[in-house]
Amino acid sequence: LPLCDSFLKMMTMWIQIVFLALIAIIVVDAEYTSGTPHASVVTLGNDSIDDALKDPANSIWLLKFYAPWCGHCKKLAPILDKAATRLEGKLAIGTIDCTVEKKLCETHDVRAYPTLKFVRDGVFHDYTSGRTEDDFVKFAFKMSAPSVSEVDSYDQALSDIASQNDEGVAFLAYHPAIAEHDKIRDKLQSNHITQVFTQVARKLQHLAHFTILLKSEDVWTKLGMDADAAKNGFIVKIEKGLPPMLFKPTQPDFTAIELLDFVKENNFALVTDLGPRNFNTIGKKGRHLVIGVVDSSDESQVNVMKKELIEFATTGPSDVVSKYYYGTMDGKKWAKFMSQFEVEVDELPQVIVIDVPTKMYWRDPSYESIQEFIMAVAEDKVEMKQSIRAKGGNFLKTLADVYVSNMPATGIATVFAMIIV
């Protein structure tokens, strides 16, 4: 009997400890109230979400669609709680329980947990940035800042604006009419070019960086324009070490849709570093991917590959160059993924071409130069093959598996939104 009593006391003690621990880690989100900037995560549902998104005190929302049983959702919760305390007046954070609000989650095409979306001006966007506390804070400050900044020089645009983008690119607009005004609002409304530029910047602020140049300087000479042509204004994509890429509208009175497409198609480096973050996104933009597969620990090998890819992308035949996007990929880190394209670690570096939507690829290491290989692919002189894993209907899962094994648990769910077909 004494043993039984002792056992019961011990069990009771442990139950109390576990219960108290659960109480300590369970955070109940606050209920939504209108008219006040939120400094904590709030619960939203079908009966409150419309009012919340129209609340002028909370003009930008980050929404977490989740299920109570989801482990990754639970791990993300305290990160959002901490971020919310730093974002009062800049970004409101709301959670939606998809086991309760099923129709609401279906309406917004929620297929995995947690799914993050942000809302501004009543428009829902997929949240694709990082998931650390600092990532959320950085995103909030970017989105709450003006969508278009000002720079005095082209070099300042490269150093201060393009450098903020993960891809090292930005979009720059110039028109001589802006010099006639002091306030940036008046400058942006002074001509058609910067008016449309501002509209697009507002829509794509979460993806790209936009700035206006206060004086044309030597940008027009880098574009091969004469001074008279520069007086009509221009919009360019800028990237360090490369000449600016001119936006060429079909007509002077171009629309926001035309510029929107230009930004979306070019919002990454000419030769970008490919991985789970951007592989599927870029691969589904309508062009094949030319990938230099390298050993990233060999800096010389990487630099030579990038230099040759840039050379072809800037000097090759324009009708061929425009068929592809270009990038490098770490053949050692993603060896398992690359093996489905017959690329082995001991054969690096290599160049392959992949059509992501159809899961087809071109590979022939017998060509001595990148230009010869790409031209041969364009002329149908290289055999097109199907990805080994695509035959089994599992093309990009390997990349997800490898990525998951190399990342924090809070980011795992993001992978599948980015790369699983």
Side-chain angles (χ1 to χ4, degrees), residues 54 158 272 320:
K54 295 175 183 177
L158 286 173
T272 189
V320 177

Side-chain angles (χ1 to χ4, degrees), residues 35 108 224 227:
H108 296 292

Side-chain angles (χ1 to χ4, degrees), residues 105-150:
C105 294
E106 289 175 2
T107 298
H108 296 292
D109 196 29
V110 176
R111 300 182 181 183
Y113 304 126
T115 289
L116 297 182
K117 295 179 182 284
F118 75 92
V119 187
R120 183 168 70 176
D121 301 333
V123 180
F124 283 71
H125 305 268
D126 291 331
Y127 174 85
T128 57
S129 298
R131 296 191 176 197
T132 68
E133 179 185 344
D134 287 342
D135 286 333
F136 290 123
V137 172
K138 180 180 178 181
F139 175 79
F141 273 75
K142 181 180 189 301
M143 294 302 295
S144 59
S147 57
V148 179
S149 62
E150 302 175 89

Side-chain angles (χ1 to χ4, degrees), residues 96 119 160 318 339 399:
I96 299 165
V119 187
D160 295 356
S318 59
S339 66
L399 186 55

Side-chain angles (χ1 to χ4, degrees), residues 201-247:
R202 175 79 177 176
K203 287 182 177 293
L204 298 182
Q205 185 175 359
H206 61 295
L207 294 176
H209 288 75
F210 301 85
T211 189
I212 57 169
L213 185 65
L214 299 183
K215 49 187 178 181
S216 64
E217 285 189 319
D218 60 345
V219 178
W220 58 272
T221 59
K222 294 179 181 179
L223 293 170
M225 302 168 63
D226 57 34
D228 289 335
K231 291 178 181 178
N232 295 321
F234 52 78
I235 296 172
V236 293
K237 167 197 170 181
I238 62 174
E239 180 181 351
K240 187 175 182 179
L242 293 172
M245 176 187 290
L246 180 65
F247 167 60

Side-chain angles (χ1 to χ4, degrees), residues 233-291:
F234 52 78
I235 296 172
V236 293
K237 167 197 170 181
I238 62 174
E239 180 181 351
K240 187 175 182 179
L242 293 172
M245 176 187 290
L246 180 65
F247 167 60
K248 300 177 181 178
T250 55
Q251 54 188 6
D253 202 22
F254 61 92
T255 65
I257 294 176
E258 195 171 0
L259 179 56
L260 198 76
D261 290 341
F262 173 77
V263 172
K264 286 182 176 180
E265 290 175 3
N266 296 287
N267 188 34
F268 42 85
L270 180 63
V271 176
T272 189
D273 295 321
L274 292 167
R277 175 181 62 85
N278 58 5
F279 184 91
N280 207 35
T281 302
I282 297 175
K284 289 189 173 181
K285 285 185 176 291
R287 304 183 194 179
H288 297 163
L289 293 180
V290 175
I291 304 175

